């Protein structure tokens, strides 16, 4: 796994509820897939995260996003592991 090889800690969650229970620090970068299970849109989850105080929220997708993004989204990345500098 790329995260482990780079010395990064990576957590994944199968639902927003599972994420909330984990009590992740709001300063941690969060990467949300655009298309989630059960027809949940990642943009909806990103809005929830932003309204909950998270400020480093990225959308991850292999598709081009043609709709307007919520204010506060830090960026859109592909499916590859992000290049983290710190």
């Amino acid at each position: 796994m790329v995260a482990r090889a780079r010395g990064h800690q990576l957590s994944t969650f199968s639902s927003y509820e599972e994420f909330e229970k984990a009590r992740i620090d709001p300063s941690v970068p969060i990467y949300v897939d655009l298309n989630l299970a059960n027809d949940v849109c990642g943009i909806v989850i990103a809005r929830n995260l932003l309204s909950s105080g998270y400020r480093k929220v990225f959308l991850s997708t292999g598709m081009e996003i043609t709709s307007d993004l919520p204010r506060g989204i830090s960026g859109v990345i592909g499916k590859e592991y992000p290049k983290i500098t710190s």
Side-chain angles (χ1 to χ4, degrees):
M1 175 180 259
V2 176
R4 189 174 311 143
R6 293 185 183 172
H8 299 154
Q9 183 178 352
L10 176 71
S11 298
T12 61
F13 303 94
S14 59
S15 70
Y16 184 69
E17 292 77 18
E18 185 181 330
F19 171 82
E20 285 182 306
K21 289 178 186 175
R23 304 179 130 227
I24 303 296
D25 186 305
S27 68
V28 171
I30 306 295
Y31 298 85
V32 181
D33 197 321
L34 181 63
N35 298 304
L36 300 167
N38 302 320
D39 293 322
V40 175
C41 178
I43 293 174
V44 172
I45 300 301
R47 280 190 187 115
N48 290 345
L49 291 166
L50 290 165
S51 67
S52 295
Y54 291 88
R55 292 292 167 246
K56 298 177 186 175
V57 179
F58 297 83
L59 287 172
S60 176
T61 182
M63 304 174 353
E64 182 177 335
I65 296 180
T66 57
S67 61
D68 291 333
L69 294 176
R71 185 182 194 121
I73 293 291
S74 299
V76 177
I77 65 165
K79 295 290 186 164
E80 69 282 345
Y81 190 81
K83 293 182 168 91
I84 301 172
T85 57
S86 59

